[in-house]
Amino acid sequence: MLLAALVTTTAAEVVSVISSDAAPYRAAHEALVQRLSLDGHRVRTVSMAVLATDGLAALGEPACVVAIGSPAAVWLHEKKPVTPLLFCLVSHPERAGLLAPPAALGVSTDVPLADQVALLRETLPEAKTIGLLFRQDHLDSKQQVDALSAVLPAGMTLESVAIDQHASPAAAIDALLTRRIDVVWTSPDSSIYNEATVRSLLLTALRRKVPVFGFSTSFVRAGALVGVPRPRLPRHPSRRLGC
């Protein structure tokens, strides 16, 4: 609906800039193409690699640009293109600077942590210890650990492992799952999770019989026990069980 309001009633071109080849980003792009094609609009994809080489000239003169994921959104916003900029699959847009003038419009992936913990407790009432991966060298990632810890109810504890302090993501995942945790909580942090990391986590967790709390519908479909599909209204997380 937001895109439909920004493009003309006649056929228009929209440029989609995808942060990476991660499955959630691809799914969002495919949904964008499918929706806009119904109204006769065209969607052209420009990669981050092309933008890094050719700059904003690679965008041409579309009706609007849609950034899928935080890296693409931040890069485009910092360059301040004249074309209207929209975003999706972005976590904490205010922290990313996307709301600074000229503000970009879009959909945040953020579901309040307290709501996520409530959903997790409802699904796994016996879970007492939550495990998570973070990056020691990323301020936002470290703050995520503190924020999650702050909303845990009495009787629940947090075990965290810095992925950048290990030889590989697989080694960090192994280190986390060797601890006595009841569930692994994940967040849409592109500095940690890509398709390979998600696959490694789910396979290792399955072998160790540790459930995973996913951050997207794709994560749940891939094997996470429960998750928070990106809702249109972030204050209302949805329940979706997987196996």
Side-chain angles (χ1 to χ4, degrees), residues 51-102:
L51 282 177
T53 302
D54 299 341
L56 295 177
L59 299 178
E61 298 182 359
C64 68
V65 176
V66 181
I68 301 178
S70 295
V74 171
W75 191 95
L76 289 165
H77 186 260
E78 288 178 348
K79 300 299 181 183
K80 294 180 172 55
V82 176
T83 302
L85 174 63
L86 300 107
F87 62 80
C88 65
L89 290 183
V90 169
S91 179
H92 300 296
E94 68 288 347
R95 278 196 234 162
L98 297 175
L99 304 188

Side-chain angles (χ1 to χ4, degrees), residues 25-72:
Y25 296 155
R26 292 201 309 270
H29 171 73
E30 290 165 4
L32 179 72
V33 173
Q34 182 179 22
R35 175 63 184 86
L36 290 184
S37 65
L38 294 176
D39 295 328
H41 303 305
R42 303 180 302 277
V43 179
R44 178 167 56 90
T45 305
V46 176
S47 69
M48 292 290 289
V50 169
L51 282 177
T53 302
D54 299 341
L56 295 177
L59 299 178
E61 298 182 359
C64 68
V65 176
V66 181
I68 301 178
S70 295

Side-chain angles (χ1 to χ4, degrees), residues 115-134:
D115 289 355
Q116 295 189 45
V117 172
L119 177 59
L120 192 154
R121 294 190 74 196
E122 181 180 340
T123 308
L124 299 168
E126 301 301 319
K128 301 299 181 185
T129 304
I130 298 176
L132 70 85
L133 297 170
F134 75 105

